[in-house]
Amino acid sequence: QVRLVESGGGSVQTGGSLRLSCSASNSYTSGKCRSWFRQAPGKEREGVSAIRFDGPTYYVDSVRGRFTISQDVGKNTVYLQMNSLRSEDTALYYCAEDRWTTCGSWSVADFQYWGQGIQVTVSS
């Protein structure tokens, strides 16, 4: 059973930065896609960014240029560097994993494994 654990969330002022981490156990990067989703209160869960095992990255328009996804294969960890944070980035952020073919898909149903979520709050 794959276990994903997010860390690094918290509260920050508008314009600030945070870095989220997603570490995996019982999982290997090869052949996989690791993605970040988020869910704000009263809204549906939405895709944010993804990284394929061999390097290609994906972003939704609302975060492109502000967020950067990366991975440390040796540590089996994916990072999401979030800069220039806005109030609308406030949400519960989830890490998800599935086969590499899911990369670029922002459909929640396409991902089998999920972390427990971590809160990011951006205030002015």
Side-chain angles (χ1 to χ4, degrees):
Q1 181 72 16
V2 174
R3 183 168 177 259
L4 303 174
V5 178
E6 302 98 338
S7 61
S11 297
V12 66
Q13 290 189 325
T14 301
S17 299
L18 283 174
R19 189 177 81 154
L20 303 182
S21 300
C22 173
S23 60
S25 59
N26 298 328
S27 173
Y28 298 93
T29 306
S30 181
K32 300 293 180 63
C33 178
R34 194 84 55 85
S35 297
W36 288 97
F37 285 75
R38 66 187 180 186
Q39 187 166 16
K43 295 188 176 181
E44 293 188 355
R45 195 169 299 187
E46 62 176 8
V48 176
S49 182
I51 188 165
R52 210 168 71 183
F53 71 99
D54 55 347
T57 58
Y58 306 80
Y59 300 93
V60 296
D61 289 344
S62 60
V63 307
R64 187 174 289 112
R66 300 188 297 123
F67 291 10
T68 302
I69 193 169
S70 61
Q71 62 186 349
D72 185 327
V73 174
K75 294 183 178 179
N76 207 356
T77 298
V78 169
Y79 305 96
L80 185 67
Q81 177 67 43
M82 305 185 295
N83 298 329
S84 302
L85 283 162
R86 307 167 180 168
S87 57
E88 53 263 40
D89 295 318
T90 295
L92 197 59
Y93 281 71
Y94 295 90
C95 178
E97 180 180 288
D98 213 297
R99 298 165 300 162
W100 68 271
T101 51
T102 57
C103 261
S105 166
W106 307 120
S107 173
V108 171
D110 286 343
F111 290 84
Q112 181 177 6
Y113 302 105
W114 292 85
Q116 79 287 356
I118 193 162
Q119 181 66 38
V120 170
T121 302
V122 185
S123 58
S124 56

